[in-house]
Amino acid sequence: MISKNPYRLAALLIIMIVTLSACQSTSNKNTRNAPLAVGPNAMGQDSYSTAKALPQSDIFLDVAVPVFDPGLPMDGNKVDYDELDEMDIWPQLRRAEAKRFAVETKRAIAATQAFGSVSVVPDANTSADLYVLGTVLHSDSEFVRLEVTVVDSSGEPLDSEEFEHQVSKSYFRDALNEGKDPYQPVFDQVADYVYRLLMDLSEQQKQTLKNTTLVRYAHYYSPEAFKDYLKVSIDRKNGTRFYKYELNGLPAADDAMLQRIEVLRNQEMLFVDRLQDQFDVFQQSTDDPYHEWQRETLPEAVRAREARAERNTKAVVGALGFIAALALGNNSNSTSTSVAKTAGALGSVWLLKDAYQANHNLKVASAVIDEMGQGLDLTLSPQVMEFNEQQVELSGTAAEQYQQWKAHLRKMYHLETSAN
């Protein structure tokens, strides 16, 4: 029932408007409660060191970071372009981000100095003790949101979590931020998360993972010889079904076949090491245009978000004004009409795609990103790999060259075993 007391309604309207306005504001007051510290190592640690404190351990897990899932809306196995347009996603940009975010995540994890090798790979079809699987849920230069799942070499997901970071609209005003990635805090969050999961593992669990990694790799080359060491089943955890690999035992350390396979694994890892240089080159070549995109679209993203917030506030106020007009018996009051017009005008918000189409700097940046973000995989120049005095030329994308090299190593293994 609508109150007929205009003063009571007016007071209610004022309270609602003040409350809504307060929700839109944030405090920028500086707090000066940090303890004063001077002199060398005054805070108990070196401020420049990002290494984490680890208990004494001789077991370092190797980490693979596959190129992220770009998070494009799908209709079956095809991109849903209507949904893509509604979500205002630029697919080439998002695919480039899928590679860039994997590289930045790898760097942040490696900076903890808590792991063995940390490598970006084209996909999860590689040998590692831990896999960091990422999906880009949102990225518009102001907000970035990622979903990360960590899986161990037994195939079991250890955990899954979402991470979000909001870039300050004044970020690029500070000259000290020149050349820095405004998204860096989200990658540091992911690295801390992976580090915490590592700290939950006992030495025995880590050794079991190392053993599982090696036996699974040996099984890939010779299923017949190593099938009795692995038990494979389908398991479920937190609603996710996965293939679970459990050890039934270990081959002898001096097993001749296992030693040969370890040599081949080292050759495969040599290719993965070379691949890191290629991903670094990709990162460097996209740094300038990508940061230009962030710099130019950040104000538009902030403006669009603020316009949506203002539109929603105006809509609420408009509804209250309409109610007030009814209560006052004046349905023709121009207040509701005026507010409705304002809310309607705010319904047309800025879209990022319109921003970069109209901005010269973004046109230049988008041309580079278009070229670098055509697909998820990295296109490499042909390269020659050598093993046992045999050379093989690899060509195509990173994943294709990786598969070609693994196929060659597998062929070499079978030739050696048949000769013996």
Side-chain angles (χ1 to χ4, degrees), residues 70-87:
L72 302 179
M74 304 297 290
D75 182 7
N77 59 353
K78 296 181 179 179
V79 175
D80 186 337
Y81 289 102
D82 291 335
E83 183 70 14
L84 185 113
D85 189 60
E86 288 184 16
M87 295 173 68

Side-chain angles (χ1 to χ4, degrees), residues 45-54 107-115 184 188 191-192 195:
Q45 62 182 8
D46 294 328
S47 59
Y48 57 80
S49 176
T50 58
K52 301 292 184 180
L54 276 178
R107 291 175 175 175
I109 294 174
T112 67
Q113 299 181 25
F115 300 89
Q184 186 60 48
D188 293 337
D192 287 341
Y195 170 81

Side-chain angles (χ1 to χ4, degrees), residues 121-142:
V121 289
D123 52 49
N125 185 21
T126 189
S127 181
D129 303 316
L130 292 178
Y131 300 82
V132 179
L133 311 178
T135 300
V136 185
L137 299 179
H138 183 82
S139 175
D140 66 1
S141 76
E142 183 189 17

